[in-house]
Amino acid sequence: METESKPTQFDVTATVISQKGTCHAGYKVGDQLCFVGTTISGAPVCLSALDCMLSSVISLRYGANYPWAPEGTIQLACPDAESPVVFELKRIPPVVG
């Protein structure tokens, strides 16, 4: 009987690398969200920003790369054109041991 192996799931961080104007969620450069398993921890979660990054978080979790970005990363901005917050999403290698 053949056993099915589950695909590797990576953790992903989203770090604020740029913020202009007044972010209504209060994000500042350096704030971080951590997507670990089925949980999100770190800075408060802005639902608009989460909506913009969720598909990329899922893609990075399963090993996707974007041809225009360094391996395992992508930069995304929230939808607030007047006070944009830019996040760098980064895949975190699994801990061995």
Side-chain angles (χ1 to χ4, degrees):
M1 178 179 214
E2 203 173 303
T3 36
E4 292 184 34
S5 63
K6 291 184 177 182
T8 300
Q9 290 186 21
F10 298 91
D11 296 337
V12 176
T13 59
T15 305
V16 176
I17 60 170
S18 172
Q19 191 277 313
K20 296 182 176 153
T22 302
C23 172
H24 297 287
Y27 286 128
K28 304 271 187 250
V29 172
D31 285 350
Q32 193 170 69
L33 294 169
C34 300
F35 299 84
V36 178
T38 59
T39 63
I40 303 172
S41 63
V45 178
C46 170
L47 295 181
S48 295
L50 180 63
D51 182 55
C52 289
M53 68 174 85
L54 195 55
S55 61
S56 293
V57 168
I58 292 168
S59 296
L60 289 170
R61 279 180 55 88
Y62 288 99
N65 288 305
Y66 296 89
W68 58 87
E71 184 175 337
T73 67
I74 189 165
Q75 293 182 3
L76 301 169
C78 77
D80 185 348
E82 293 180 13
S83 301
V85 176
V86 178
F87 296 87
E88 180 178 64
L89 277 60
K90 185 179 278 188
R91 180 171 52 238
I92 305 301
V95 176
V96 178

